[in-house]
mmCIF file of all heavy atoms in Angstrom:
data_model
loop_
_atom_site.group_PDB
_atom_site.id
_atom_site.type_symbol
_atom_site.label_atom_id
_atom_site.label_comp_id
_atom_site.label_asym_id
_atom_site.label_seq_id
_atom_site.Cartn_x
_atom_site.Cartn_y
_atom_site.Cartn_z
ATOM 1 N N ILE A 1 -4.127 -15.865 -15.178
ATOM 2 C CA ILE A 1 -4.133 -15.518 -13.757
ATOM 3 C C ILE A 1 -5.061 -16.513 -13.078
ATOM 4 O O ILE A 1 -6.240 -16.593 -13.420
ATOM 5 C CB ILE A 1 -4.616 -14.075 -13.514
ATOM 6 C CG1 ILE A 1 -3.837 -13.086 -14.394
ATOM 7 C CG2 ILE A 1 -4.467 -13.710 -12.037
ATOM 8 C CD1 ILE A 1 -4.363 -11.663 -14.303
ATOM 9 N N VAL A 2 -4.519 -17.265 -12.149
ATOM 10 C CA VAL A 2 -5.240 -18.396 -11.568
ATOM 11 C C VAL A 2 -5.355 -18.222 -10.059
ATOM 12 O O VAL A 2 -4.337 -18.133 -9.354
ATOM 13 C CB VAL A 2 -4.513 -19.736 -11.874
ATOM 14 C CG1 VAL A 2 -5.333 -20.911 -11.354
ATOM 15 C CG2 VAL A 2 -4.232 -19.879 -13.364
ATOM 16 N N VAL A 3 -6.584 -18.146 -9.567
ATOM 17 C CA VAL A 3 -6.839 -18.218 -8.129
ATOM 18 C C VAL A 3 -7.084 -19.681 -7.799
ATOM 19 O O VAL A 3 -8.009 -20.306 -8.328
ATOM 20 C CB VAL A 3 -8.061 -17.364 -7.735
ATOM 21 C CG1 VAL A 3 -8.462 -17.643 -6.282
ATOM 22 C CG2 VAL A 3 -7.762 -15.888 -7.927
ATOM 23 N N THR A 4 -6.222 -20.251 -6.966
ATOM 24 C CA THR A 4 -6.341 -21.682 -6.670
ATOM 25 C C THR A 4 -5.665 -22.009 -5.355
ATOM 26 O O THR A 4 -4.749 -21.300 -4.910
ATOM 27 C CB THR A 4 -5.723 -22.532 -7.800
ATOM 28 O OG1 THR A 4 -5.948 -23.916 -7.517
ATOM 29 C CG2 THR A 4 -4.220 -22.299 -7.933
ATOM 30 N N HIS A 5 -6.132 -23.094 -4.735
ATOM 31 C CA HIS A 5 -5.461 -23.657 -3.560
ATOM 32 C C HIS A 5 -4.599 -24.855 -3.949
ATOM 33 O O HIS A 5 -4.008 -25.497 -3.071
ATOM 34 C CB HIS A 5 -6.497 -24.068 -2.511
ATOM 35 C CG HIS A 5 -7.246 -22.912 -1.923
ATOM 36 N ND1 HIS A 5 -6.661 -21.995 -1.064
ATOM 37 C CD2 HIS A 5 -8.520 -22.487 -2.086
ATOM 38 C CE1 HIS A 5 -7.550 -21.086 -0.720
ATOM 39 N NE2 HIS A 5 -8.691 -21.360 -1.327
ATOM 40 N N GLU A 6 -4.536 -25.152 -5.236
ATOM 41 C CA GLU A 6 -3.739 -26.291 -5.708
ATOM 42 C C GLU A 6 -2.278 -25.866 -5.819
ATOM 43 O O GLU A 6 -1.787 -25.468 -6.870
ATOM 44 C CB GLU A 6 -4.271 -26.789 -7.056
ATOM 45 C CG GLU A 6 -5.691 -27.321 -7.017
ATOM 46 C CD GLU A 6 -5.827 -28.579 -6.177
ATOM 47 O OE1 GLU A 6 -4.830 -29.330 -6.071
ATOM 48 O OE2 GLU A 6 -6.914 -28.819 -5.632
ATOM 49 N N MET A 7 -1.558 -25.978 -4.714
ATOM 50 C CA MET A 7 -0.190 -25.460 -4.671
ATOM 51 C C MET A 7 0.800 -26.337 -5.438
ATOM 52 O O MET A 7 1.855 -25.861 -5.843
ATOM 53 C CB MET A 7 0.261 -25.272 -3.221
ATOM 54 C CG MET A 7 -0.462 -24.128 -2.508
ATOM 55 S SD MET A 7 -0.152 -22.492 -3.259
ATOM 56 C CE MET A 7 -1.724 -22.164 -4.068
ATOM 57 N N GLY A 8 0.449 -27.613 -5.655
ATOM 58 C CA GLY A 8 1.295 -28.443 -6.509
ATOM 59 C C GLY A 8 1.295 -27.903 -7.930
ATOM 60 O O GLY A 8 2.342 -27.810 -8.589
ATOM 61 N N PHE A 9 0.127 -27.529 -8.415
ATOM 62 C CA PHE A 9 -0.005 -26.902 -9.727
ATOM 63 C C PHE A 9 0.772 -25.593 -9.759
ATOM 64 O O PHE A 9 1.504 -25.305 -10.716
ATOM 65 C CB PHE A 9 -1.482 -26.656 -10.023
ATOM 66 C CG PHE A 9 -1.747 -25.802 -11.233
ATOM 67 C CD1 PHE A 9 -1.784 -26.366 -12.497
ATOM 68 C CD2 PHE A 9 -1.953 -24.434 -11.099
ATOM 69 C CE1 PHE A 9 -2.032 -25.572 -13.623
ATOM 70 C CE2 PHE A 9 -2.204 -23.640 -12.210
ATOM 71 C CZ PHE A 9 -2.240 -24.214 -13.473
ATOM 72 N N ALA A 10 0.613 -24.785 -8.715
ATOM 73 C CA ALA A 10 1.304 -23.498 -8.657
ATOM 74 C C ALA A 10 2.817 -23.689 -8.731
ATOM 75 O O ALA A 10 3.513 -22.981 -9.461
ATOM 76 C CB ALA A 10 0.926 -22.762 -7.364
ATOM 77 N N ARG A 11 3.301 -24.653 -8.000
ATOM 78 C CA ARG A 11 4.753 -24.876 -7.941
ATOM 79 C C ARG A 11 5.297 -25.352 -9.285
ATOM 80 O O ARG A 11 6.398 -24.973 -9.689
ATOM 81 C CB ARG A 11 5.053 -25.916 -6.856
ATOM 82 C CG ARG A 11 6.496 -25.964 -6.414
ATOM 83 C CD ARG A 11 6.631 -26.731 -5.112
ATOM 84 N NE ARG A 11 7.903 -26.468 -4.484
ATOM 85 C CZ ARG A 11 8.184 -26.727 -3.208
ATOM 86 N NH1 ARG A 11 7.242 -27.262 -2.442
ATOM 87 N NH2 ARG A 11 9.365 -26.465 -2.707
ATOM 88 N N GLU A 12 4.503 -26.139 -9.984
ATOM 89 C CA GLU A 12 4.972 -26.750 -11.231
ATOM 90 C C GLU A 12 4.818 -25.836 -12.438
ATOM 91 O O GLU A 12 5.675 -25.824 -13.332
ATOM 92 C CB GLU A 12 4.174 -28.037 -11.489
ATOM 93 C CG GLU A 12 4.484 -28.723 -12.792
ATOM 94 C CD GLU A 12 3.519 -29.854 -13.102
ATOM 95 O OE1 GLU A 12 2.709 -30.216 -12.222
ATOM 96 O OE2 GLU A 12 3.568 -30.355 -14.232
ATOM 97 N N VAL A 13 3.752 -25.037 -12.465
ATOM 98 C CA VAL A 13 3.355 -24.389 -13.712
ATOM 99 C C VAL A 13 3.599 -22.883 -13.730
ATOM 100 O O VAL A 13 3.974 -22.324 -14.759
ATOM 101 C CB VAL A 13 1.858 -24.674 -14.005
ATOM 102 C CG1 VAL A 13 1.368 -23.895 -15.214
ATOM 103 C CG2 VAL A 13 1.642 -26.167 -14.207
ATOM 104 N N CYS A 14 3.389 -22.201 -12.605
ATOM 105 C CA CYS A 14 3.333 -20.745 -12.688
ATOM 106 C C CYS A 14 4.707 -20.098 -12.684
ATOM 107 O O CYS A 14 5.699 -20.676 -12.225
ATOM 108 C CB CYS A 14 2.464 -20.172 -11.566
ATOM 109 S SG CYS A 14 3.233 -20.142 -9.954
ATOM 110 N N ASN A 15 4.755 -18.877 -13.210
ATOM 111 C CA ASN A 15 5.975 -18.074 -13.187
ATOM 112 C C ASN A 15 6.139 -17.342 -11.864
ATOM 113 O O ASN A 15 7.255 -17.156 -11.375
ATOM 114 C CB ASN A 15 5.951 -17.029 -14.313
ATOM 115 C CG ASN A 15 5.746 -17.649 -15.673
ATOM 116 O OD1 ASN A 15 4.647 -17.594 -16.218
ATOM 117 N ND2 ASN A 15 6.775 -18.260 -16.235
ATOM 118 N N ARG A 16 5.012 -16.893 -11.317
ATOM 119 C CA ARG A 16 5.024 -16.119 -10.080
ATOM 120 C C ARG A 16 3.856 -16.510 -9.204
ATOM 121 O O ARG A 16 2.790 -16.843 -9.715
ATOM 122 C CB ARG A 16 4.880 -14.617 -10.378
ATOM 123 C CG ARG A 16 6.156 -13.846 -10.544
ATOM 124 C CD ARG A 16 5.860 -12.356 -10.624
ATOM 125 N NE ARG A 16 5.109 -11.973 -11.801
ATOM 126 C CZ ARG A 16 4.385 -10.860 -11.890
ATOM 127 N NH1 ARG A 16 4.262 -10.051 -10.859
ATOM 128 N NH2 ARG A 16 3.741 -10.576 -13.011
ATOM 129 N N ILE A 17 4.065 -16.459 -7.924
ATOM 130 C CA ILE A 17 2.971 -16.572 -6.962
ATOM 131 C C ILE A 17 2.776 -15.206 -6.322
ATOM 132 O O ILE A 17 3.732 -14.578 -5.857
ATOM 133 C CB ILE A 17 3.246 -17.643 -5.896
ATOM 134 C CG1 ILE A 17 3.296 -19.032 -6.544
ATOM 135 C CG2 ILE A 17 2.180 -17.607 -4.799
ATOM 136 C CD1 ILE A 17 3.587 -20.164 -5.592
ATOM 137 N N VAL A 18 1.534 -14.744 -6.348
ATOM 138 C CA VAL A 18 1.167 -13.479 -5.717
ATOM 139 C C VAL A 18 0.319 -13.830 -4.500
ATOM 140 O O VAL A 18 -0.751 -14.432 -4.637
ATOM 141 C CB VAL A 18 0.382 -12.585 -6.702
ATOM 142 C CG1 VAL A 18 -0.111 -11.329 -5.996
ATOM 143 C CG2 VAL A 18 1.235 -12.234 -7.911
ATOM 144 N N PHE A 19 0.807 -13.481 -3.323
ATOM 145 C CA PHE A 19 0.111 -13.836 -2.081
ATOM 146 C C PHE A 19 -0.623 -12.606 -1.551
ATOM 147 O O PHE A 19 -0.017 -11.556 -1.305
ATOM 148 C CB PHE A 19 1.104 -14.344 -1.032
ATOM 149 C CG PHE A 19 0.469 -14.734 0.274
ATOM 150 C CD1 PHE A 19 -0.278 -15.898 0.374
ATOM 151 C CD2 PHE A 19 0.596 -13.924 1.396
ATOM 152 C CE1 PHE A 19 -0.886 -16.265 1.577
ATOM 153 C CE2 PHE A 19 0.004 -14.280 2.599
ATOM 154 C CZ PHE A 19 -0.731 -15.449 2.687
ATOM 155 N N ILE A 20 -1.947 -12.732 -1.424
ATOM 156 C CA ILE A 20 -2.797 -11.639 -0.946
ATOM 157 C C ILE A 20 -3.286 -11.956 0.463
ATOM 158 O O ILE A 20 -3.709 -13.078 0.745
ATOM 159 C CB ILE A 20 -4.002 -11.418 -1.884
ATOM 160 C CG1 ILE A 20 -3.528 -10.930 -3.258
ATOM 161 C CG2 ILE A 20 -4.968 -10.405 -1.297
ATOM 162 C CD1 ILE A 20 -4.667 -10.586 -4.204
ATOM 163 N N ASP A 21 -3.233 -10.949 1.319
ATOM 164 C CA ASP A 21 -3.763 -11.104 2.675
ATOM 165 C C ASP A 21 -4.429 -9.789 3.074
ATOM 166 O O ASP A 21 -3.817 -8.720 2.956
ATOM 167 C CB ASP A 21 -2.638 -11.449 3.657
ATOM 168 C CG ASP A 21 -3.173 -11.741 5.046
ATOM 169 O OD1 ASP A 21 -3.929 -12.715 5.204
ATOM 170 O OD2 ASP A 21 -2.841 -10.973 5.978
ATOM 171 N N GLY A 22 -5.684 -9.854 3.496
ATOM 172 C CA GLY A 22 -6.395 -8.656 3.910
ATOM 173 C C GLY A 22 -6.504 -7.609 2.819
ATOM 174 O O GLY A 22 -6.491 -6.402 3.099
ATOM 175 N N GLY A 23 -6.630 -8.067 1.572
ATOM 176 C CA GLY A 23 -6.797 -7.140 0.461
ATOM 177 C C GLY A 23 -5.522 -6.488 -0.022
ATOM 178 O O GLY A 23 -5.559 -5.624 -0.906
ATOM 179 N N LYS A 24 -4.383 -6.897 0.529
ATOM 180 C CA LYS A 24 -3.091 -6.340 0.113
ATOM 181 C C LYS A 24 -2.190 -7.453 -0.429
ATOM 182 O O LYS A 24 -2.240 -8.591 0.051
ATOM 183 C CB LYS A 24 -2.367 -5.680 1.299
ATOM 184 C CG LYS A 24 -3.069 -4.473 1.899
ATOM 185 C CD LYS A 24 -2.279 -3.953 3.097
ATOM 186 C CE LYS A 24 -2.966 -2.754 3.739
ATOM 187 N NZ LYS A 24 -2.849 -1.546 2.910
ATOM 188 N N ILE A 25 -1.374 -7.121 -1.427
ATOM 189 C CA ILE A 25 -0.347 -8.051 -1.877
ATOM 190 C C ILE A 25 0.823 -7.939 -0.913
ATOM 191 O O ILE A 25 1.470 -6.890 -0.813
ATOM 192 C CB ILE A 25 0.106 -7.740 -3.320
ATOM 193 C CG1 ILE A 25 -1.044 -7.991 -4.295
ATOM 194 C CG2 ILE A 25 1.323 -8.600 -3.694
ATOM 195 C CD1 ILE A 25 -0.717 -7.668 -5.745
ATOM 196 N N VAL A 26 1.062 -9.011 -0.180
ATOM 197 C CA VAL A 26 2.134 -8.974 0.818
ATOM 198 C C VAL A 26 3.385 -9.706 0.347
ATOM 199 O O VAL A 26 4.449 -9.580 0.963
ATOM 200 C CB VAL A 26 1.668 -9.551 2.179
ATOM 201 C CG1 VAL A 26 0.545 -8.714 2.753
ATOM 202 C CG2 VAL A 26 1.221 -11.000 2.044
ATOM 203 N N GLU A 27 3.251 -10.452 -0.763
ATOM 204 C CA GLU A 27 4.432 -11.178 -1.259
ATOM 205 C C GLU A 27 4.253 -11.518 -2.738
ATOM 206 O O GLU A 27 3.154 -11.896 -3.179
ATOM 207 C CB GLU A 27 4.607 -12.475 -0.461
ATOM 208 C CG GLU A 27 5.905 -13.182 -0.741
ATOM 209 C CD GLU A 27 6.759 -13.358 0.509
ATOM 210 O OE1 GLU A 27 6.288 -13.050 1.625
ATOM 211 O OE2 GLU A 27 7.890 -13.818 0.353
ATOM 212 N N GLU A 28 5.302 -11.335 -3.499
ATOM 213 C CA GLU A 28 5.383 -11.788 -4.889
ATOM 214 C C GLU A 28 6.705 -12.502 -5.047
ATOM 215 O O GLU A 28 7.752 -11.944 -4.732
ATOM 216 C CB GLU A 28 5.361 -10.598 -5.864
ATOM 217 C CG GLU A 28 4.038 -10.039 -6.220
ATOM 218 C CD GLU A 28 4.169 -8.977 -7.304
ATOM 219 O OE1 GLU A 28 4.426 -9.346 -8.476
ATOM 220 O OE2 GLU A 28 4.023 -7.787 -6.978
ATOM 221 N N ALA A 29 6.671 -13.727 -5.563
ATOM 222 C CA ALA A 29 7.920 -14.483 -5.662
ATOM 223 C C ALA A 29 7.775 -15.603 -6.669
ATOM 224 O O ALA A 29 6.655 -15.991 -7.040
ATOM 225 C CB ALA A 29 8.290 -15.054 -4.291
ATOM 226 N N SER A 30 8.894 -16.138 -7.099
ATOM 227 C CA SER A 30 8.876 -17.358 -7.893
ATOM 228 C C SER A 30 8.358 -18.486 -7.013
ATOM 229 O O SER A 30 8.441 -18.398 -5.771
ATOM 230 C CB SER A 30 10.287 -17.694 -8.379
ATOM 231 O OG SER A 30 11.101 -18.088 -7.272
ATOM 232 N N PRO A 31 7.815 -19.555 -7.618
ATOM 233 C CA PRO A 31 7.322 -20.663 -6.784
ATOM 234 C C PRO A 31 8.380 -21.205 -5.831
ATOM 235 O O PRO A 31 8.094 -21.441 -4.643
ATOM 236 C CB PRO A 31 6.904 -21.710 -7.821
ATOM 237 C CG PRO A 31 6.585 -20.934 -9.045
ATOM 238 C CD PRO A 31 7.542 -19.789 -9.058
ATOM 239 N N GLU A 32 9.602 -21.377 -6.325
ATOM 240 C CA GLU A 32 10.658 -21.948 -5.478
ATOM 241 C C GLU A 32 10.944 -21.044 -4.287
ATOM 242 O O GLU A 32 11.035 -21.501 -3.139
ATOM 243 C CB GLU A 32 11.931 -22.154 -6.309
ATOM 244 C CG GLU A 32 13.025 -22.927 -5.580
ATOM 245 C CD GLU A 32 12.589 -24.330 -5.174
ATOM 246 O OE1 GLU A 32 11.746 -24.928 -5.867
ATOM 247 O OE2 GLU A 32 13.095 -24.825 -4.142
ATOM 248 N N GLU A 33 11.039 -19.753 -4.543
ATOM 249 C CA GLU A 33 11.317 -18.815 -3.457
ATOM 250 C C GLU A 33 10.155 -18.741 -2.481
ATOM 251 O O GLU A 33 10.350 -18.700 -1.257
ATOM 252 C CB GLU A 33 11.606 -17.424 -4.039
ATOM 253 C CG GLU A 33 12.013 -16.401 -3.002
ATOM 254 C CD GLU A 33 12.347 -15.050 -3.615
ATOM 255 O OE1 GLU A 33 12.283 -14.932 -4.855
ATOM 256 O OE2 GLU A 33 12.640 -14.120 -2.851
ATOM 257 N N PHE A 34 8.922 -18.757 -3.014
ATOM 258 C CA PHE A 34 7.748 -18.661 -2.153
ATOM 259 C C PHE A 34 7.656 -19.851 -1.209
ATOM 260 O O PHE A 34 7.380 -19.692 -0.019
ATOM 261 C CB PHE A 34 6.483 -18.566 -3.009
ATOM 262 C CG PHE A 34 5.223 -18.409 -2.210
ATOM 263 C CD1 PHE A 34 4.862 -17.177 -1.688
ATOM 264 C CD2 PHE A 34 4.382 -19.491 -1.986
ATOM 265 C CE1 PHE A 34 3.692 -17.020 -0.950
ATOM 266 C CE2 PHE A 34 3.211 -19.347 -1.251
ATOM 267 C CZ PHE A 34 2.874 -18.107 -0.731
ATOM 268 N N PHE A 35 7.900 -21.046 -1.727
ATOM 269 C CA PHE A 35 7.734 -22.243 -0.903
ATOM 270 C C PHE A 35 8.922 -22.529 0.012
ATOM 271 O O PHE A 35 8.770 -23.223 1.013
ATOM 272 C CB PHE A 35 7.456 -23.459 -1.792
ATOM 273 C CG PHE A 35 6.063 -23.487 -2.346
ATOM 274 C CD1 PHE A 35 5.820 -23.230 -3.688
ATOM 275 C CD2 PHE A 35 4.976 -23.747 -1.527
ATOM 276 C CE1 PHE A 35 4.535 -23.236 -4.201
ATOM 277 C CE2 PHE A 35 3.687 -23.760 -2.029
ATOM 278 C CZ PHE A 35 3.459 -23.500 -3.372
ATOM 279 N N THR A 36 10.086 -22.021 -0.320
ATOM 280 C CA THR A 36 11.264 -22.327 0.497
ATOM 281 C C THR A 36 11.781 -21.142 1.293
ATOM 282 O O THR A 36 12.490 -21.330 2.283
ATOM 283 C CB THR A 36 12.419 -22.848 -0.386
ATOM 284 O OG1 THR A 36 12.784 -21.825 -1.330
ATOM 285 C CG2 THR A 36 12.007 -24.107 -1.132
ATOM 286 N N ASN A 37 11.414 -19.912 0.866
ATOM 287 C CA ASN A 37 12.014 -18.753 1.526
ATOM 288 C C ASN A 37 11.065 -17.560 1.515
ATOM 289 O O ASN A 37 11.461 -16.442 1.170
ATOM 290 C CB ASN A 37 13.338 -18.397 0.815
ATOM 291 C CG ASN A 37 14.145 -17.381 1.597
ATOM 292 O OD1 ASN A 37 14.108 -17.360 2.820
ATOM 293 N ND2 ASN A 37 14.854 -16.518 0.882
ATOM 294 N N ALA A 38 9.814 -17.799 1.876
ATOM 295 C CA ALA A 38 8.844 -16.689 1.931
ATOM 296 C C ALA A 38 9.312 -15.648 2.934
ATOM 297 O O ALA A 38 9.814 -15.984 4.015
ATOM 298 C CB ALA A 38 7.469 -17.220 2.314
#
């Protein structure tokens, strides 16, 4: 589980991106879906 701002790494390596805002998970998606169709 990686907290990072390195989105190139996220796009290349991770299975899922979990996006947190205001203490809530507002989005869970594959890297491709997150970057192209959030």
Side-chain angles (χ1 to χ4, degrees):
I1 309 174
V2 184
V3 170
T4 184
H5 294 289
E6 297 295 332
M7 290 297 107
F9 170 85
R11 196 165 196 163
E12 176 189 351
V13 174
C14 76
N15 304 103
R16 268 188 294 158
I17 295 179
V18 175
F19 180 73
I20 294 185
D21 185 63
K24 296 178 181 287
I25 294 178
V26 297
E27 189 121 7
E28 277 186 73
S30 69
E32 188 60 30
E33 185 178 359
F34 182 79
F35 285 108
T36 61
N37 191 32

